[in-house]
Amino acid sequence: MLKVGDIAPSFCAPNQDDVEICSRDLAGKWIVLYFYPKDLTPGCTTEACDFTDKHSFFDDLDAVILGVSADDTQKHRKFIDKYDLTITLLSDTNKKMCEDYGVWQLKQFMGKEFMGVVRSTFIINPEGKIAAIWDKVSVRKKKSVKGEKIEILHVDEVKEKLQELQSN
């Protein structure tokens, strides 16, 4: 299992436009690499739309947002077009990135076991090291603060952590 401080596994994968994106080409930049189970599903759509809504903030921090699933590039293109997403989606049909990052795991749903992507996010620093990890991500979670229920967005947690990492 990867941990903070480890060298991030290198990758090359096609994006939604069939252009190969490689980690070596992003050296010197902050990378927000998030893995999600499947295009066009409710939780994955919420997460992609949240990252799109905050995209300019991440641009201001010189961070690249890359979403990764095992869906093919054609399905990524449909996903992007349907929801006007501005983020880059990488296709990992052979699941190499998912395995390298430890997110391809045994899951359970309605009493059945199967292999799948566990929703996870990594921040990779400009030196290519993992600076933060979230596993088993809840895209939005409810929290009680002073008796009031508030919604915490995963994208805001990532944004705040990136700010904190860059200020150190």
Side-chain angles (χ1 to χ4, degrees), residues 112-129:
K112 295 187 181 188
E113 289 188 335
F114 59 96
M115 293 301 288
V117 174
V118 173
R119 190 183 310 277
S120 305
T121 303
F122 299 82
I123 295 177
I124 301 169
N125 71 18
E127 291 78 44
K129 291 185 178 176

Side-chain angles (χ1 to χ4, degrees), residues 128-143:
K129 291 185 178 176
I130 295 174
I133 301 172
W134 291 263
D135 60 354
K136 297 181 182 140
V137 167
S138 292
V139 176
R140 295 191 174 172
K141 52 190 167 195
K142 303 278 188 219
K143 186 176 180 182

Side-chain angles (χ1 to χ4, degrees), residues 26 54 110 153:
L26 300 171
K54 305 285 180 163
M110 297 179 71
L153 275 60

Side-chain angles (χ1 to χ4, degrees), residues 34 36-50 71 75 79 82-83 85 109 119 137-140:
Y34 81 91
Y36 64 98
K38 196 169 174 62
D39 290 342
L40 301 164
T41 57
C44 299
T45 298
T46 298
E47 186 173 29
C49 288
D50 286 350
D71 291 312
K75 192 156 184 204
F79 190 28
K82 182 170 183 173
Y83 293 101
L85 303 177
F109 183 70
R119 190 183 310 277
V137 167
S138 292
V139 176
R140 295 191 174 172

